Amino acid sequence: MNKEPLLQVRNLKKYFPVKQGFFNQVIGQIRAVDGISFDLHHGECLGLVGESGSGKTTVGRAMLRALSPTAGQILFRLDGQSYDLATATEKTLRPLRRHMQMIFQDPYSSLNPRMTVSDIIGEPLLVNGVSDRSKREQHVRGLLTQVGLKPEHMRRYPHAFSGGQRQRIGIARALALHPKLIVADEPVSALDVSVQAQVLNLLQELQKTFQLTYLFIAHDLSVVHHISDRIAVMYAGRLVELGTADELFRQPRHPYTEALLAAVPIPQPRRNLKRVLLSGEVADPANLPSGCVFHPRCPYTEDRCKTEVPEFREIATGHLTRCHLAE
Ligand code: SF4
């Protein structure tokens, strides 16, 4: 296994200006991502979880430079070279983009309804210089088989497929250029529960076959646990906990993770967890609370939580958390 991480994110920030008035005066900042750092190792799946509005999708989009970060580094290693995606020019990014692909949440709106499956999956090949149609179609046939669809489906349009099949088409398109990194943004949350497990299993098989590295974004911890080696928990633009999937489930060390786990709708009678119930809304990223940003919702809040920002620190090997009381 390659020891150097495929990707290193360091102090990544993405702020959006809040504008007001006739002259669009900037009156504040929405801190969607506020200084997060993590590594992504070759061949691993890192789950990124948090409620809606926690900033996880912004992280995924910034990693692929669909958004330009406000600050920080995103170091991507390829063929012995390191590229900082956060500051790279479009000219530098262009040849790198084929190695980083995205699987989208909504299989209904992410596929062009006027294109055949063959054209949808073959488009990235065409854009990257495979101009011979028969070669593209041969490749598309192979991809369709790999994602569990029939090659003869390639002349059909997206409307002829179910949600699960459309997501398989989206996955085939993401794989067309043999990427190294895939950011999967809630890839099963729009699907029926009965289909979710099939698509998750497919993603796991493909990860092994193509030695893919995943950032798997989801709001549902049970989905993330199924597929992830490690899990990072995000709250109000910051990481609050990071550890192996098993350790996070066995012994969460941040009250927010405890609360997310308590909401997992599967029976786990032997899991000896305190039942932390979340009340209130995710902190407003334009007006973050002082001290620990989770303190208005935390059942363990002490006085210092309201004034002192807890550091994101290692409390056991490879297990980091951001809580004054983690020990
Ligand atoms: Fe709760 Fe305090 Fe820990 Fe924040 S630092 S999570 S408020 S106990």
Side-chain angles (χ1 to χ4, degrees), residues 254-256 292 294-295 298-302 305 310 322-325:
H254 194 283
Y256 182 58
C292 171
F294 188 57
H295 86 251
C298 181
Y300 310 117
T301 305
E302 296 182 343
C305 301
R322 190 190 289 279
C323 174
H324 292 309
L325 310 184

Side-chain angles (χ1 to χ4, degrees), residues 290-292 295 301-308:
S290 60
C292 171
H295 86 251
T301 305
E302 296 182 343
D303 280 347
R304 67 168 167 159
C305 301
K306 297 174 187 166
T307 52
E308 288 175 34

Side-chain angles (χ1 to χ4, degrees), residues 29-135:
Q29 303 274 4
I30 294 174
R31 298 174 174 219
V33 177
D34 201 10
I36 73 166
S37 302
F38 61 87
D39 291 348
L40 198 48
H41 299 280
H42 290 266
E44 89 162 329
C45 176
L46 176 68
L48 184 61
V49 289
E51 291 164 284
S52 173
S54 59
K56 53 196 191 305
T57 294
T58 308
V59 172
R61 297 191 67 207
M63 275 171 54
L64 301 186
R65 268 298 294 276
L67 285 173
S68 292
T70 305
Q73 287 183 309
I74 305 165
L75 301 174
F76 182 63
R77 288 205 175 77
L78 185 71
D79 301 330
Q81 287 221 54
S82 183
Y83 303 88
D84 185 359
L85 304 179
T87 53
T89 61
E90 195 47 49
K91 192 176 166 203
T92 307
L93 285 171
R94 208 167 298 133
L96 299 176
R97 287 199 186 279
R98 61 177 298 165
H99 301 287
M100 312 177 290
Q101 297 290 322
M102 190 144 189
I103 298 171
F104 296 94
Q105 174 179 5
D106 186 354
Y108 293 91
S109 63
S110 60
L111 305 178
N112 187 334
R114 290 186 197 86
M115 289 170 77
T116 63
V117 168
S118 174
D119 288 339
I120 289 170
I121 300 174
E123 190 180 39
L125 297 164
L126 180 64
V127 170
N128 280 273
V130 185
S131 51
D132 182 333
R133 189 169 189 93
S134 65
K135 266 194 193 158

Side-chain angles (χ1 to χ4, degrees), residues 208-259:
K208 280 193 203 124
T209 308
F210 295 103
Q211 299 175 335
L212 298 166
T213 303
Y214 288 151
L215 179 76
F216 191 98
I217 298 169
H219 63 274
D220 182 342
L221 258 175
S222 57
V223 167
V224 173
H225 187 217
H226 183 86
I227 194 167
S228 304
D229 301 299
R230 293 186 303 146
I231 295 176
V233 181
M234 234 182 134
Y235 183 78
R238 298 158 192 210
L239 288 187
V240 294
E241 189 155 8
L242 172 67
T244 63
D246 287 341
E247 192 163 344
L248 227 85
F249 260 65
R250 206 179 55 245
Q251 200 178 15
R253 301 291 281 272
H254 194 283
Y256 182 58
T257 314
E258 278 182 20

